[in-house]
Every structure is written in C-alpha cells, then in structure tokens.
Amino acid sequence: MKRTALVAAGLGVALALTACSNNNSDSSEAESSPTTSSMWTTPAAPSVDMSRFGSLPAIPTPTAPSVDCSYDTAGPAAKPVEPPNTSGVSDEGTVSVAFTTNEGPIGLTLNRAAAPCTVNSFVSLTEQGYFDDTPCHRLSAEPPLQILQCGDPSGTGTGGPGYAYANEYPTNLYSPTDPAAQQPLVYPRGTIAMANAGPNTNGSQFFLVYADSVLQPQYTVFGTISEEGLATIEKIAEAGDDGSMGANGGAPNTPVTIETASVG
C-alpha cells in the first residue's frame, strides 16, 4: 500500500500530498507511521477569504540553549545520507541556506527557536549534498494552497532520508486532543514548512509557501524565504502545474531543479 503525506487545508475538498513510499519501493518518508494518511478539507473556491482563518501562534522563547533530538530509522534513504547529530542541538539563532536552481536563486533563513531538530536535520542534509541536483516535484498554484514542494531526490514524492522525526512548532503547542490542532490557520507567504505523512513522520520533503495558504497546524514551520527566492518561485508558479494530482496541483510545468544547496 502506498503511504501518502498530506498537505491540505480549509473546508470542502480533501487534498493529499505524496511524500512516502509503498512497501515495495526503495524509499520512504515514514515507514514507521502508524497511519497511511491524515486528511482534512480545503475551500473549493479559487478565491478564499483569508480573514476567515486565524494566524499561527507566536513562536515561544526557548527555555534552554540546546535540546536533544531523536531521528528514528524509517526505511531506505532515497539518496545516501547519514542521520544528524542528536545531542546538544542549538535552539538559538538562525541559519542561512542558499539554493541555486535552474530558474533562479532561493534564499532561506532557518529559525532554530521554532524547530531546532528540523533545522538540525535540514542543515545536516544540506551539508551532505542531499538536496544537490534534486527536483521540486510538486506545485500547487491555486488558493488556498500555493506551494512548491521539494526535498525528494527521487522526484516521485515518495523519497526520504531514511529517518523520521517529530513535529515541532506549531504542532507542539497543542495537545493531541485539542480541537484547535485541527482548525485551519494561515501559513503566511514566505513560510518554509515540512511535508509529512501524519504526526511525527518528518523526513526531507519540505514546501515553500509563496502566497498565504490555509493549513491545519500540523506542519512544522522552520524558517522563511527571501524576497528574491519568492520572486523565483512566483515565476515558476506562473507557468502552472500539469494537474496530475487533481485538486492538489501536480508537477510544475516549468521543471525545477535544486542544482546546489549550501549553508552560509
């Protein structure tokens, strides 16, 4: 059975975002995930009144200068990579990451205070060349979900780094039984967040929000996109997607490759 990571939002039509493999494929974002999907709904109309939805909560101030992280084995990696360090992970300050793509530069600023274990993993993958020469395999170009998704070296939407880890901000601000954890909020333009296949199944796939989008607070937010990077993504989005995922978008009509990724 194919496992599917989901990015969806709002009120009306369930949207799925593939990010995990079937049992017979050679890569998986979430082999250890107890469920195969996590579904919610999105407004069907192309014009969405964002004022109907709340904002993400404030990022809490760290209570200690470092945390320990856990990265659990989750099937074969789509590209050879070592898991990141797990102890004494900083949760202070920011990290800059620069993508060069065939369509232009995309600069990122990663926020350790929001998601130290996510930033730790992302930096580790970047430094190991995991994102180099990899495609951005999915574009959703219609409200209320306007994102470019990347981070799967296989380009299939099923690949991961061979490990999985827990959700962080904003998910960790809610108890699992809190109804507010399932209420759509606005993920603002310029947000970087992780794709997943349900709680605590983060791997390497991430999405870049280039226009305000509506999502449940179940996707770890770990940084922001530069204005130059947003201009690159908006140019890609203008060409649209191939519709292969129906209401979820599809492959970008303009093929996008991350040629190099560097921490700097």
Side-chain angles (χ1 to χ4, degrees):
M1 176 182 293
K2 179 171 287 188
R3 291 178 182 260
T4 304
L6 303 176
V7 168
L11 308 167
V13 179
L15 295 187
L17 170 62
T18 59
C20 297
S21 71
N22 62 37
N23 299 354
N24 299 320
S25 69
D26 31 344
S27 60
S28 173
E29 282 266 319
E31 286 299 317
S32 59
S33 174
T35 61
T36 58
S37 66
S38 170
M39 308 237 356
W40 48 91
T41 55
T42 182
S47 178
V48 179
D49 179 5
M50 292 295 173
S51 68
R52 296 168 51 202
F53 304 99
S55 301
L56 289 171
I59 298 171
T61 301
T63 57
S66 65
V67 299
D68 291 337
C69 302
S70 179
Y71 303 101
D72 301 321
T73 301
K79 186 175 182 179
V81 71
E82 294 295 324
N85 172 57
T86 60
S87 61
V89 174
S90 175
D91 61 2
E92 297 180 333
T94 60
V95 182
S96 296
V97 170
F99 288 160
T100 59
T101 81
N102 61 312
E103 290 298 315
I106 299 176
L108 310 177
T109 300
L110 312 186
N111 187 347
R112 291 192 184 105
C117 296
T118 302
V119 172
N120 186 51
S121 172
F122 200 88
V123 168
S124 174
L125 292 172
T126 300
E127 292 178 335
Q128 294 182 70
Y130 183 86
F131 297 123
D132 293 354
D133 298 314
T134 63
C136 293
H137 62 275
R138 184 241 182 152
L139 175 72
S140 178
E142 296 294 337
L145 189 64
Q146 293 177 273
I147 63 167
L148 179 68
Q149 188 189 349
C150 316
D152 172 13
S154 75
T156 63
T158 65
Y163 60 82
Y165 58 95
N167 287 26
E168 295 183 283
Y169 168 85
T171 313
N172 58 7
L173 300 185
Y174 303 88
S175 73
T177 57
D178 185 350
Q182 306 304 323
Q183 294 301 310
L185 300 174
V186 175
Y187 277 52
R189 176 181 184 270
T191 297
I192 317 164
M194 293 299 295
N196 64 52
N200 307 322
T201 60
N202 301 285
S204 61
Q205 292 191 43
F206 60 94
F207 57 96
L208 306 168
V209 182
Y210 67 90
D212 288 357
S213 294
V214 181
L215 294 159
Q216 291 176 318
Q218 297 297 317
Y219 302 95
T220 296
V221 171
F222 65 104
T224 56
I225 309 164
S226 68
E227 285 298 324
E228 183 181 44
L230 285 166
T232 296
I233 301 166
E234 288 165 352
K235 179 178 68 172
I236 294 163
E238 285 178 0
D241 62 77
D242 67 5
S244 58
M245 298 180 188
N248 297 305
N253 286 331
T254 299
V256 185
T257 299
I258 298 173
E259 296 170 338
T260 63
S262 60
V263 177

